[in-house]
Amino acid sequence: GMCNFASSPMVADCTFSGNSATTGAGGGMTNKVNSTPTVTGCLFSVNSADIYGGGMFNFDSSPTLTNCTFSGNTGFLGGGMTNFVGSSPSVTDSTFSGNSALFHGGGMFNLQSSPTVTNCMFDGNSADFAGGGMINFDASDAAVTNCIFSANTADGAAGMANVESSPTVTNCTFSGNIAQDGGGGMFNQVSSPTVTNCILWGNSPDQFFDTGATPTVSYSDVQGGRLGVGNIDVDPMFVDAANGDFRLLAGSPCIDSADNTAVPSGTADLDNDGNTVEPTPWDLDGNPRFVNDPATPDTGNGDCAVDMGAYEFQLGAVVCCPGNLNGNGSVKIANLLALLAAWGTNPGGPPDFDRDGDVAVPDLLELLANWGSCQ
């Protein structure tokens, strides 16, 4: 469809459909040799490649993709997208559905590449061997946030496969993924993924399958249980899992039970405020992530704790105030004293509200802007 070689065009509102690469890679689009195209609002459908990336192939290139759809694409390694050796694309607000791989990575295949994947859906993708939704292979340390992996299938590792890689997976939901041999939700081989604030429920035959791996799992709801700080094993109470609605019902044990400090910096700038070091401000629906459900006691880490999973419960919720350090419902002198006590330090979170590495004037101004006003 398109080949970008050391090139960085802007491509918007375009459709790449029915294209094929019969001798290699990138049926819909190929990006090589430090190409950094900006691709917005595009559809990649029913494209194919004999080897890599039916929809898109990135080699030593890092495109920025926003609001794109990869559907019905096929490849040997990577049906929807392949990121190959030194590629770190940013993929935001995008959908990978119904893509298939004859070997690994139905939705996305990463080899020695570390994409940033935020607010994306991986639904109904398949791989004949491993990684129906996504596979991170050989030092592919992807950062995956606010994503859903559902109804993906594979011989092994239906949702996500990690092989000799250490991805960071935060506020993601894995449900309804089916593997024949194991790793319905996530498969880890000689890998050290960090899984935080996630829900792994209703995957078959298991939620995790680890071999020679040391994953760190915390503040997550894992069916069957999982050792780790803040983990629970309770029905997450999805709205309608059978029909793909993984939002939380009122009273869900996943509400206000996760770890605020694990929410990564919003490098994708979902709220378009120019601040890419603040915690990711929105959930998969584009609703505020830092809100409090007054009907649910906080059981997570931090005042006004965030929810587990890709969606934040919104009904009756109150937007949290970054100056409210002690959770008492107002920003007053105690919060100011706590900020001043941390002045010039790097606490790794509040009161370093802008997460720039130290408590300084911008943090003080943030607190004062909310003085006495919110909870």
Side-chain angles (χ1 to χ4, degrees):
M2 175 183 284
C3 179
N4 299 309
F5 190 90
S7 302
S8 303
M10 296 182 66
V11 186
D13 301 322
C14 292
T15 296
F16 297 79
S17 181
N19 304 287
S20 62
T22 58
T23 58
M29 180 184 291
T30 289
N31 301 303
K32 295 182 177 180
V33 191
N34 198 29
S35 292
T36 57
T38 299
V39 184
T40 306
C42 291
L43 170 64
F44 295 81
S45 68
V46 201
N47 302 288
S48 64
D50 282 1
I51 305 179
Y52 298 113
M56 178 180 289
F57 175 66
N58 300 308
F59 178 38
D60 188 28
S61 294
S62 300
T64 298
L65 292 92
T66 306
N67 194 28
C68 291
T69 297
F70 292 78
S71 178
N73 304 287
T74 60
F76 185 72
L77 293 168
M81 177 187 294
T82 292
N83 300 306
F84 190 86
V85 185
S87 297
S88 300
S90 173
V91 186
T92 307
D93 291 330
S94 295
T95 298
F96 295 77
S97 66
N99 303 287
S100 60
L102 296 178
F103 197 40
H104 293 318
M108 182 182 292
F109 176 85
N110 302 312
L111 173 67
Q112 296 181 19
S113 296
S114 300
T116 298
V117 184
T118 309
N119 283 33
C120 291
M121 295 279 294
F122 292 81
D123 178 72
N125 304 286
S126 64
D128 284 1
F129 193 70
M134 175 189 293
I135 184 168
N136 299 302
F137 188 81
D138 190 10
S140 292
D141 302 332
V144 186
T145 307
N146 290 355
C147 292
I148 287 181
F149 292 79
S150 64
N152 300 290
T153 60
D155 182 50
M160 177 186 290
N162 303 307
V163 180
E164 298 180 354
S165 297
S166 300
T168 301
V169 185
T170 312
N171 281 109
C172 291
T173 299
F174 294 76
S175 186
N177 302 288
I178 301 174
Q180 297 302 313
D181 295 332
M186 183 179 292
F187 172 88
N188 301 304
Q189 181 178 22
V190 196
S191 296
S192 302
T194 300
V195 181
T196 316
N197 299 355
C198 291
I199 301 173
L200 292 96
W201 197 272
N203 303 288
S204 178
D206 46 26
Q207 313 312 310
F208 281 96
F209 186 94
D210 301 323
T211 173
T214 55
T216 299
V217 184
S218 61
Y219 291 96
S220 295
D221 189 3
V222 182
Q223 188 173 13
R226 182 82 185 194
L227 292 177
V229 177
N231 291 334
I232 60 175
D233 175 15
V234 188
D235 185 346
M237 297 173 58
F238 294 130
V239 170
D240 188 2
N243 290 300
D245 189 343
F246 300 104
R247 296 171 183 84
L248 303 175
L249 288 169
S252 166
C254 297
I255 296 173
D256 296 348
S257 60
D259 182 4
N260 284 358
T261 65
V263 179
S265 298
T267 54
D269 195 17
L270 296 176
D271 54 1
N272 296 313
D273 66 352
N275 187 354
T276 60
V277 296
E278 65 181 345
T280 303
W282 289 352
D283 68 359
L284 180 57
D285 265 344
N287 291 318
R289 172 59 77 180
F290 289 87
V291 298
N292 181 59
D293 176 21
T296 302
D298 273 13
T299 58
N301 183 29
D303 296 319
C304 192
V306 297
D307 299 350
M308 296 175 181
Y311 297 109
E312 192 79 12
F313 183 75
Q314 301 289 324
L315 184 62
V318 179
V319 176
C320 300
C321 178
N324 181 24
L325 296 172
N326 57 11
N328 66 356
S330 63
V331 182
K332 292 187 177 180
I333 190 66
N335 306 124
L336 176 61
L337 293 176
L339 183 145
L340 294 176
W343 194 266
T345 67
N346 180 14
D352 181 16
F353 302 125
D354 60 6
R355 287 195 176 186
D356 66 348
D358 69 334
V359 179
V361 171
D363 306 303
L364 174 61
L365 295 177
E366 182 73 38
L367 184 146
L368 294 177
N370 296 289
W371 190 263
S373 64
C374 57
Q375 58 182 339

Coordinates of all heavy atoms in Angstrom, one line a residue, residues 212-284:
G212 N 9.8 -20.4 33.8 CA 11.1 -19.7 33.9 C 11.0 -18.2 34.0 O 11.9 -17.4 33.6
A213 N 9.8 -17.7 34.4 CA 9.5 -16.3 34.4 C 9.3 -15.8 35.8 O 8.9 -16.5 36.7 CB 8.3 -16.0 33.6
T214 N 9.5 -14.5 36.0 CA 9.3 -13.8 37.3 C 8.5 -12.6 37.2 O 9.0 -11.5 37.4 CB 10.7 -13.5 38.0 OG1 11.4 -12.7 37.1 CG2 11.5 -14.8 38.3
P215 N 7.2 -12.7 36.8 CA 6.4 -11.5 36.7 C 6.1 -10.9 38.1 O 6.0 -11.7 39.1 CB 5.1 -12.1 36.1 CG 5.1 -13.5 36.4 CD 6.5 -14.0 36.5
T216 N 5.9 -9.6 38.1 CA 5.5 -8.9 39.3 C 4.1 -8.5 39.1 O 3.8 -7.6 38.3 CB 6.4 -7.7 39.6 OG1 7.8 -8.1 39.8 CG2 6.0 -7.0 40.9
V217 N 3.2 -9.0 39.9 CA 1.8 -8.7 39.8 C 1.3 -8.1 41.1 O 1.5 -8.7 42.2 CB 1.0 -10.0 39.5 CG1 -0.5 -9.7 39.2 CG2 1.6 -10.7 38.3
S218 N 0.7 -6.9 41.0 CA 0.2 -6.3 42.2 C -1.1 -5.5 41.9 O -1.4 -5.1 40.7 CB 1.3 -5.3 42.7 OG 1.6 -4.3 41.8
Y219 N -1.9 -5.3 42.9 CA -3.1 -4.5 42.8 C -3.9 -4.9 41.6 O -4.4 -4.1 40.8 CB -2.8 -3.0 42.8 CG -2.3 -2.5 44.1 CD1 -0.9 -2.4 44.3 CD2 -3.2 -2.2 45.2 CE1 -0.4 -2.0 45.6 CE2 -2.7 -1.8 46.4 CZ -1.3 -1.7 46.6 OH -0.8 -1.3 47.8
S220 N -4.1 -6.2 41.4 CA -4.8 -6.8 40.3 C -5.8 -7.8 40.8 O -5.6 -8.5 41.8 CB -3.8 -7.4 39.3 OG -3.0 -6.4 38.7
D221 N -6.9 -8.0 40.0 CA -7.9 -9.0 40.3 C -7.6 -10.2 39.4 O -7.9 -10.1 38.1 CB -9.3 -8.4 40.0 CG -10.4 -9.3 40.5 OD1 -10.1 -10.4 41.1 OD2 -11.6 -9.0 40.3
V222 N -7.2 -11.3 39.9 CA -6.8 -12.4 39.2 C -7.6 -13.6 39.6 O -7.6 -14.0 40.8 CB -5.3 -12.8 39.4 CG1 -4.9 -14.0 38.5 CG2 -4.4 -11.6 39.0
Q223 N -8.4 -14.2 38.7 CA -9.2 -15.3 39.0 C -8.4 -16.5 39.4 O -7.4 -16.8 38.7 CB -10.1 -15.7 37.8 CG -11.1 -16.8 38.0 CD -12.1 -17.0 36.8 OE1 -11.8 -16.5 35.7 NE2 -13.2 -17.7 37.1
G224 N -8.7 -17.1 40.5 CA -7.9 -18.2 41.0 C -6.8 -17.7 42.0 O -6.2 -18.6 42.6
G225 N -6.6 -16.4 42.1 CA -5.7 -15.9 43.0 C -4.3 -15.7 42.5 O -3.8 -16.5 41.6
R226 N -3.5 -14.8 43.0 CA -2.1 -14.6 42.6 C -1.4 -13.9 43.8 O -1.9 -12.9 44.3 CB -2.1 -13.7 41.4 CG -0.7 -13.4 40.8 CD -0.2 -14.5 40.0 NE 1.2 -14.4 39.6 CZ 1.8 -15.1 38.6 NH1 1.1 -16.0 37.9 NH2 3.0 -14.9 38.3
L227 N -0.3 -14.4 44.2 CA 0.5 -13.7 45.2 C 1.0 -12.3 44.7 O 1.4 -12.2 43.6 CB 1.7 -14.6 45.6 CG 1.4 -15.9 46.3 CD1 2.8 -16.6 46.5 CD2 0.7 -15.6 47.6
G228 N 0.9 -11.4 45.6 CA 1.4 -10.0 45.3 C 0.6 -9.0 46.1 O -0.5 -9.2 46.5
V229 N 1.2 -7.8 46.3 CA 0.6 -6.8 47.1 C -0.7 -6.3 46.5 O -0.7 -6.0 45.3 CB 1.6 -5.6 47.2 CG1 1.0 -4.4 48.0 CG2 2.9 -6.1 47.9
G230 N -1.7 -6.2 47.2 CA -3.0 -5.7 46.8 C -3.8 -6.5 45.8 O -4.9 -6.1 45.4
N231 N -3.4 -7.8 45.6 CA -4.1 -8.6 44.6 C -5.4 -9.2 45.3 O -5.4 -9.4 46.5 CB -3.2 -9.8 44.1 CG -2.1 -9.3 43.2 OD1 -2.2 -8.2 42.6 ND2 -1.0 -10.0 43.2
I232 N -6.4 -9.4 44.5 CA -7.7 -9.9 45.0 C -8.1 -11.1 44.0 O -7.6 -11.2 42.9 CB -8.8 -8.9 45.1 CG1 -9.1 -8.2 43.8 CG2 -8.4 -7.8 46.1 CD1 -10.3 -7.3 43.8
D233 N -9.0 -11.9 44.5 CA -9.6 -12.9 43.7 C -11.1 -12.9 43.9 O -11.7 -13.7 44.6 CB -9.0 -14.3 44.1 CG -9.7 -15.5 43.3 OD1 -10.4 -15.2 42.3 OD2 -9.5 -16.6 43.8
V234 N -11.8 -11.9 43.3 CA -13.2 -11.7 43.5 C -13.8 -11.3 42.1 O -13.2 -10.6 41.3 CB -13.5 -10.6 44.5 CG1 -15.0 -10.5 44.8 CG2 -12.7 -10.8 45.8
D235 N -15.0 -11.8 41.8 CA -15.7 -11.4 40.6 C -15.7 -9.9 40.4 O -16.2 -9.2 41.2 CB -17.2 -11.9 40.6 CG -17.9 -11.7 39.3 OD1 -17.4 -11.0 38.5 OD2 -19.0 -12.3 39.2
P236 N -15.1 -9.5 39.3 CA -14.9 -8.0 39.0 C -16.3 -7.3 38.8 O -16.3 -6.1 38.8 CB -14.0 -7.9 37.8 CG -14.2 -9.2 37.1 CD -14.4 -10.2 38.2
M237 N -17.3 -8.1 38.5 CA -18.6 -7.5 38.2 C -18.6 -6.6 37.0 O -18.9 -5.4 37.0 CB -19.2 -6.8 39.4 CG -19.4 -7.7 40.6 SD -19.8 -6.8 42.2 CE -21.3 -5.9 41.6
F238 N -18.3 -7.2 35.8 CA -18.4 -6.5 34.6 C -19.9 -6.2 34.2 O -20.8 -7.0 34.6 CB -17.8 -7.3 33.4 CG -16.3 -7.6 33.6 CD1 -15.8 -8.8 33.4 CD2 -15.4 -6.5 33.8 CE1 -14.4 -9.1 33.5 CE2 -14.1 -6.7 33.9 CZ -13.5 -8.0 33.8
V239 N -20.1 -5.2 33.5 CA -21.4 -4.8 33.0 C -22.0 -5.9 32.2 O -23.1 -6.4 32.4 CB -21.4 -3.5 32.3 CG1 -22.8 -3.2 31.6 CG2 -21.1 -2.3 33.2
D240 N -21.3 -6.4 31.2 CA -21.8 -7.4 30.3 C -20.6 -8.1 29.5 O -20.4 -7.8 28.3 CB -22.8 -6.8 29.3 CG -23.5 -7.9 28.5 OD1 -23.2 -9.1 28.7 OD2 -24.4 -7.5 27.6
A241 N -19.9 -8.9 30.2 CA -18.7 -9.5 29.6 C -19.0 -10.3 28.4 O -18.3 -10.4 27.4 CB -18.0 -10.4 30.6
A242 N -20.2 -11.0 28.4 CA -20.6 -11.8 27.2 C -20.7 -11.0 25.9 O -20.5 -11.6 24.8 CB -21.9 -12.5 27.5
N243 N -21.0 -9.8 26.1 CA -21.1 -8.9 24.9 C -20.0 -7.9 24.8 O -20.2 -6.8 24.1 CB -22.5 -8.2 24.9 CG -23.6 -9.2 24.6 OD1 -23.6 -9.9 23.5 ND2 -24.5 -9.4 25.5
G244 N -18.9 -8.1 25.5 CA -17.7 -7.3 25.4 C -17.8 -6.0 26.1 O -17.0 -5.1 25.8
D245 N -18.7 -5.8 27.1 CA -18.7 -4.6 27.9 C -18.0 -4.9 29.3 O -18.6 -5.5 30.2 CB -20.1 -4.1 28.2 CG -20.2 -2.7 28.8 OD1 -19.1 -2.3 29.4 OD2 -21.2 -2.1 28.8
F246 N -16.7 -4.4 29.4 CA -15.9 -4.7 30.6 C -15.9 -3.5 31.6 O -15.0 -3.5 32.4 CB -14.5 -5.2 30.2 CG -14.6 -6.4 29.3 CD1 -14.4 -6.3 27.9 CD2 -14.8 -7.6 29.9 CE1 -14.4 -7.5 27.2 CE2 -14.9 -8.8 29.1 CZ -14.7 -8.7 27.7
R247 N -16.8 -2.6 31.5 CA -17.0 -1.6 32.5 C -17.4 -2.2 33.8 O -17.9 -3.4 33.8 CB -17.9 -0.5 32.0 CG -17.5 0.2 30.8 CD -18.5 1.1 30.2 NE -18.1 1.8 28.9 CZ -18.1 1.2 27.7 NH1 -18.6 0.0 27.6 NH2 -17.7 1.9 26.7
L248 N -17.3 -1.5 34.9 CA -17.6 -2.1 36.2 C -18.9 -1.7 36.7 O -19.4 -0.5 36.5 CB -16.5 -1.6 37.2 CG -15.0 -1.9 36.9 CD1 -14.1 -1.3 37.9 CD2 -14.8 -3.5 36.8
L249 N -19.6 -2.6 37.3 CA -20.9 -2.3 37.9 C -20.7 -1.7 39.3 O -19.6 -1.9 39.9 CB -21.7 -3.6 38.1 CG -22.3 -4.2 36.8 CD1 -22.8 -5.6 37.1 CD2 -23.4 -3.4 36.2
A250 N -21.7 -0.9 39.8 CA -21.6 -0.4 41.1 C -21.4 -1.5 42.1 O -22.0 -2.6 42.0 CB -22.9 0.4 41.5
G251 N -20.5 -1.3 43.1 CA -20.2 -2.4 44.1 C -19.1 -3.3 43.7 O -18.8 -4.2 44.4
S252 N -18.5 -3.1 42.5 CA -17.4 -4.0 42.1 C -16.2 -3.8 43.0 O -15.9 -2.7 43.5 CB -16.9 -3.6 40.7 OG -15.7 -4.2 40.4
P253 N -15.6 -5.0 43.4 CA -14.4 -4.9 44.3 C -13.2 -4.3 43.6 O -12.2 -4.0 44.3 CB -14.2 -6.4 44.6 CG -14.7 -7.1 43.4 CD -15.9 -6.3 42.9
C254 N -13.3 -4.0 42.3 CA -12.2 -3.4 41.6 C -12.2 -1.9 41.7 O -11.2 -1.2 41.3 CB -12.2 -3.8 40.1 SG -12.0 -5.6 39.9
I255 N -13.3 -1.3 42.2 CA -13.4 0.2 42.3 C -12.5 0.7 43.5 O -12.6 0.1 44.6 CB -14.9 0.6 42.5 CG1 -15.7 0.2 41.3 CG2 -15.0 2.1 42.8 CD1 -17.2 0.4 41.4
D256 N -11.8 1.7 43.2 CA -11.0 2.4 44.2 C -10.1 1.4 45.0 O -9.8 1.5 46.2 CB -11.9 3.1 45.3 CG -12.7 4.3 44.6 OD1 -12.4 4.6 43.5 OD2 -13.6 4.8 45.3
S257 N -9.5 0.4 44.2 CA -8.7 -0.6 44.9 C -7.3 -0.8 44.3 O -6.7 -1.8 44.6 CB -9.5 -2.0 44.8 OG -9.7 -2.3 43.5
A258 N -6.9 0.1 43.4 CA -5.7 -0.1 42.7 C -4.6 0.9 43.2 O -4.8 1.6 44.2 CB -5.9 0.1 41.2
D259 N -3.5 1.0 42.5 CA -2.3 1.7 43.0 C -2.1 3.0 42.2 O -1.8 3.0 41.0 CB -1.1 0.8 42.8 CG 0.2 1.4 43.3 OD1 0.1 2.6 43.9 OD2 1.3 0.8 43.2
N260 N -2.3 4.1 42.8 CA -2.1 5.4 42.1 C -0.7 5.6 41.6 O -0.5 6.2 40.5 CB -2.5 6.6 43.1 CG -4.0 6.8 43.3 OD1 -4.8 6.0 42.7 ND2 -4.3 7.7 44.1
T261 N 0.3 5.1 42.3 CA 1.6 5.4 41.9 C 2.1 4.6 40.7 O 3.1 4.9 40.1 CB 2.6 5.1 43.1 OG1 2.6 3.7 43.4 CG2 2.2 5.8 44.4
A262 N 1.3 3.6 40.3 CA 1.6 2.8 39.2 C 1.1 3.4 37.9 O 1.6 3.0 36.8 CB 1.1 1.4 39.3
V263 N 0.2 4.3 37.9 CA -0.4 4.9 36.7 C 0.8 5.6 36.0 O 1.4 6.6 36.5 CB -1.5 5.9 37.0 CG1 -2.0 6.5 35.7 CG2 -2.6 5.1 37.8
P264 N 1.1 5.2 34.8 CA 2.3 5.8 34.1 C 2.0 7.2 33.6 O 0.9 7.7 33.6 CB 2.5 4.9 32.9 CG 1.1 4.3 32.6 CD 0.4 4.2 34.0
S265 N 3.1 7.9 33.3 CA 3.0 9.2 32.8 C 2.3 9.2 31.5 O 2.4 8.3 30.7 CB 4.4 9.8 32.6 OG 5.1 9.9 33.8
G266 N 1.5 10.3 31.2 CA 0.7 10.3 30.0 C 1.4 10.8 28.8 O 1.1 11.8 28.3
T267 N 2.4 10.0 28.4 CA 3.2 10.4 27.2 C 2.3 10.6 26.0 O 2.7 11.3 25.1 CB 4.3 9.3 26.9 OG1 3.7 8.0 26.8 CG2 5.3 9.3 28.1
A268 N 1.2 9.9 25.9 CA 0.3 10.1 24.7 C -0.5 11.4 24.8 O -1.1 11.7 23.8 CB -0.6 8.9 24.6
D269 N -0.4 12.0 26.0 CA -1.1 13.3 26.2 C -2.6 13.2 25.8 O -3.1 13.9 24.9 CB -0.4 14.4 25.4 CG -0.9 15.8 25.9 OD1 -1.5 15.9 27.0 OD2 -0.7 16.8 25.1
L270 N -3.3 12.3 26.4 CA -4.7 12.0 26.1 C -5.6 13.2 26.2 O -6.6 13.4 25.5 CB -5.2 10.9 26.9 CG -4.6 9.5 26.7 CD1 -5.1 8.5 27.7 CD2 -4.7 9.0 25.3
D271 N -5.3 14.1 27.2 CA -6.1 15.3 27.4 C -5.6 16.5 26.6 O -6.2 17.6 26.8 CB -6.3 15.6 28.9 CG -4.9 15.8 29.6 OD1 -3.9 15.7 28.9 OD2 -4.9 16.0 30.8
N272 N -4.6 16.3 25.8 CA -4.1 17.4 24.9 C -3.8 18.7 25.7 O -4.0 19.8 25.2 CB -5.2 17.7 23.8 CG -5.4 16.6 22.9 OD1 -4.4 16.0 22.4 ND2 -6.7 16.2 22.7
D273 N -3.2 18.6 26.9 CA -2.9 19.8 27.6 C -1.4 20.1 27.5 O -0.9 21.0 28.2 CB -3.3 19.6 29.1 CG -2.5 18.5 29.8 OD1 -1.8 17.8 29.2 OD2 -2.7 18.4 31.1
G274 N -0.6 19.3 26.7 CA 0.8 19.5 26.6 C 1.6 18.9 27.6 O 2.9 18.9 27.5
N275 N 1.0 18.4 28.7 CA 1.8 17.8 29.8 C 1.9 16.3 29.6 O 0.9 15.6 29.7 CB 1.1 18.1 31.1 CG 1.9 17.7 32.3 OD1 2.9 17.1 32.2 ND2 1.4 18.1 33.5
T276 N 3.1 15.8 29.3 CA 3.3 14.4 29.1 C 4.0 13.7 30.3 O 4.3 12.5 30.2 CB 4.1 14.2 27.8 OG1 5.4 14.8 28.0 CG2 3.4 14.7 26.6
V277 N 4.1 14.4 31.4 CA 4.7 13.8 32.6 C 3.7 13.6 33.7 O 4.0 12.9 34.7 CB 5.9 14.6 33.1 CG1 7.0 14.6 32.1 CG2 5.5 16.0 33.5
E278 N 2.5 14.1 33.5 CA 1.4 13.9 34.5 C 1.0 12.4 34.4 O 1.1 11.8 33.3 CB 0.3 14.8 34.3 CG -0.4 14.5 33.0 CD -1.6 15.5 32.7 OE1 -2.1 16.1 33.6 OE2 -2.1 15.6 31.5
P279 N 0.4 11.8 35.5 CA -0.1 10.5 35.3 C -1.2 10.4 34.2 O -1.9 11.4 34.0 CB -0.7 10.2 36.7 CG 0.0 11.2 37.6 CD 0.3 12.4 36.8
T280 N -1.3 9.3 33.5 CA -2.3 9.2 32.5 C -3.7 9.6 33.0 O -4.2 9.0 33.9 CB -2.3 7.7 32.0 OG1 -1.0 7.3 31.5 CG2 -3.3 7.6 30.8
P281 N -4.3 10.7 32.5 CA -5.4 11.3 33.1 C -6.7 10.6 32.8 O -7.7 10.8 33.5 CB -5.4 12.7 32.5 CG -4.8 12.6 31.2 CD -3.8 11.5 31.3
W282 N -6.8 9.8 31.7 CA -8.1 9.3 31.3 C -8.1 7.8 31.2 O -7.0 7.1 31.2 CB -8.4 9.8 29.9 CG -8.8 11.2 29.8 CD1 -9.0 12.1 30.8 CD2 -9.0 12.0 28.6 NE1 -9.4 13.3 30.4 CE2 -9.4 13.3 29.0 CE3 -9.0 11.7 27.2 CZ2 -9.6 14.3 28.1 CZ3 -9.3 12.7 26.3 CH2 -9.6 14.0 26.8
D283 N -9.3 7.2 31.2 CA -9.4 5.7 31.1 C -9.7 5.4 29.6 O -9.6 6.3 28.7 CB -10.5 5.2 32.0 CG -11.9 5.6 31.6 OD1 -12.1 6.4 30.6 OD2 -12.8 5.2 32.3
L284 N -10.0 4.2 29.3 CA -10.2 3.8 27.9 C -11.4 4.5 27.3 O -11.4 4.7 26.1 CB -10.5 2.3 27.9 CG -10.7 1.6 26.5 CD1 -9.6 2.0 25.5 CD2 -10.9 0.1 26.6

